[in-house]
Amino acid sequence: MAERILAVYDEDFFYAERLADFINERKQAPFKALAFTTLERLMSYGKDHEIDLLLIQSDISREELNGLSAGQVFYLCDGENGPIDESSKGIYKYQAADSIMRDVMEAYLTSDEEAGGRVISRTGRVIGIYSPINRCLKTSFSLTMGQLLSRDLKVLYLNFEDCSGLGTLIGEEFKGGLSDLFYYYSQEKYSWIRLGSLVYTWGELDYVAPVRYPEDLNQIGAGEAADLVRRIARESPYETIILDLGQFGKKAAEILEACDVIYMPVKEDCVSVAKIEEFEEYLSVSGHEAVTKRIEKLKLPYHSSFGRRDSYLEQLLWSELGDYTRQLLRKQP
């Protein structure tokens, strides 16, 4: 697929450069972003190059863009002034950069253009984090690992729990998420662009918001969920995908088949040990023996009580759990 060009025009040099850099670094959309701070340079570039998508400051009229070939145009509005042409599409420019890209991708998908996929030469590594026991620090460990890995790699975190609490912990009100991703996949409408329209960014870590309602986990079966994960690993730029697996029960075995490595938090009380043994027996009798070889059991350290809930995720990095996870990652190939 030929490289698509996304042009950003804004007289504010720092704004245009920062937004273009974010798009290129995060690779949240299948575009190469270019920044322009003068209309003359933009028009000159457009004479010899095709621009697939243009983000432009709101005070530029359609007449001033006469002669510029751009597949779609979105106006960057400051909240007080909208596009001069009221029929044009406006996007609030001072929201978070990942929010801008979600809005752009969502609008881009409403066009008549085919929402194609992208094949990456290198398939991303899939890390599954699962345990049949509860209250074992599974999600805290998942988010700690995600934060650490995303410092050097392009990482996507997917939470498959029915009630994750992620929105409260991060302080984000989600507009779309895993429920939508499941729907698109079940309707054979999934694409890398659709994935990009659902990706949020927290710090350096990309994630798709968990399901809206527990029932949404039933939109697709475990086998389909595994196929979706494999497709994301194959067609997206993510080098690592972290699956925080929750309420799939024994059906989780099918999703774990898509994982390159599986970390299983365990506890030593008799009930927890019995649950682990039962799950391992199920893997054996159900034809998922290969999954067993990829499981690494972890006895995670219980970290001390933290302060405010809204800073819990940041504090994880400097807790006993953060130190434990760093040591674990250093041992990995």
Side-chain angles (χ1 to χ4, degrees):
M1 181 182 293
E3 186 172 53
R4 301 178 183 181
I5 298 298
L6 184 154
V8 180
Y9 168 67
D10 197 288
E11 292 175 352
D12 183 339
F13 171 83
F14 293 105
Y15 179 87
E17 286 286 336
R18 282 197 296 264
L19 182 55
D21 287 345
F22 175 88
I23 295 169
N24 289 328
E25 290 172 4
R26 305 304 293 173
K27 298 179 182 178
Q28 193 171 329
F31 296 98
K32 177 182 179 181
L34 302 175
F36 298 89
T37 55
T38 67
L39 194 56
E40 292 74 20
R41 285 187 57 207
L42 174 63
M43 298 298 290
S44 176
Y45 178 86
K47 288 179 182 179
D48 303 316
H49 303 83
E50 182 176 349
I51 298 174
D52 297 278
L53 203 157
L54 173 63
L55 304 181
I56 191 167
Q57 64 185 45
S58 62
D59 60 354
I60 303 299
S61 66
R62 285 282 185 177
E63 289 73 22
E64 292 177 272
L65 297 177
N66 188 34
L68 180 70
S69 177
Q72 289 197 58
V73 179
F74 297 92
Y75 284 86
L76 297 166
C77 307
D78 60 9
E80 296 180 2
N81 301 308
I84 294 177
D85 180 0
E86 294 183 358
S87 64
S88 298
K89 301 171 184 175
I91 291 176
Y92 181 55
K93 67 183 291 185
Y94 294 121
Q95 61 182 314
D98 63 324
S99 297
I100 291 176
M101 287 313 302
R102 284 195 301 275
D103 288 347
V104 168
M105 290 298 96
E106 184 177 355
Y108 187 78
L109 285 164
T110 63
S111 70
D112 294 330
E113 182 173 340
E114 181 70 21
R118 175 185 177 186
V119 178
I120 305 297
S121 59
R122 177 173 175 266
T123 300
R125 184 169 184 249
V126 180
I127 298 175
I129 301 174
Y130 172 77
S131 181
I133 62 179
N134 298 318
R135 297 194 61 78
C136 58
L137 297 178
K138 177 181 62 65
T139 293
S140 293
F141 173 67
S142 301
L143 290 168
T144 303
M145 176 173 285
Q147 291 182 81
L148 291 172
L149 286 176
S150 63
R151 292 175 171 178
D152 301 308
L153 300 172
K154 181 73 173 169
V155 180
L156 179 68
Y157 169 76
L158 299 176
N159 184 299
F160 280 37
E161 294 185 306
D162 54 0
C163 296
S164 70
L166 191 63
T168 300
L169 288 172
I170 291 179
E172 182 77 58
E173 189 170 330
F174 303 125
K175 297 179 181 178
L178 204 58
S179 298
D180 305 276
L181 196 61
F182 284 166
Y183 172 79
Y184 292 140
Y185 191 75
S186 66
Q187 299 298 310
E188 299 184 353
K189 294 180 179 180
Y190 169 83
S191 70
W192 183 37
I193 298 177
R194 288 199 185 277
L195 174 63
S197 72
L198 297 170
V199 169
Y200 289 76
T201 302
W202 183 76
E204 297 297 320
L205 179 63
D206 283 0
Y207 67 97
V208 175
V211 294
R212 293 188 191 90
Y213 308 108
E215 295 80 8
D216 292 347
L217 287 171
N218 298 322
Q219 285 192 54
I220 62 175
E224 287 182 291
D227 290 340
L228 171 60
V229 170
R230 292 188 184 99
R231 189 166 175 186
I232 293 173
R234 186 174 66 247
E235 297 180 2
S236 77
Y238 290 105
E239 298 166 278
T240 299
I241 299 167
I242 295 177
L243 302 183
D244 184 354
L245 295 172
Q247 307 302 318
F248 276 90
K250 292 179 178 179
K251 291 191 296 183
E254 293 186 65
I255 305 178
L256 294 176
E257 288 279 7
C259 300
D260 298 293
V261 62
I262 301 150
Y263 293 117
M264 180 178 286
V266 299
K267 295 193 293 187
E268 296 179 342
D269 63 279
C270 61
V271 174
S272 297
V273 171
K275 288 183 177 182
I276 296 291
E277 290 176 352
E278 183 176 321
F279 183 71
E280 290 176 334
E281 182 181 357
Y282 170 75
L283 292 178
S284 177
V285 301
S286 61
H288 296 289
E289 296 94 339
V291 170
T292 306
K293 299 176 182 178
R294 283 175 253 152
I295 292 176
E296 182 174 347
K297 296 177 182 176
L298 307 175
K299 189 174 185 302
L300 301 176
Y302 274 82
H303 44 271
S304 303
S305 177
F306 292 146
R308 295 171 52 180
R309 183 174 64 180
D310 57 7
S311 60
Y312 173 78
L313 299 183
E314 294 94 334
Q315 294 178 71
L316 279 174
L317 293 177
W318 313 113
S319 68
E320 296 95 327
L321 182 59
D323 294 337
Y324 177 93
T325 308
R326 285 187 189 85
Q327 292 295 326
L328 178 68
L329 292 175
R330 291 191 185 108
K331 298 176 183 177
Q332 302 306 308

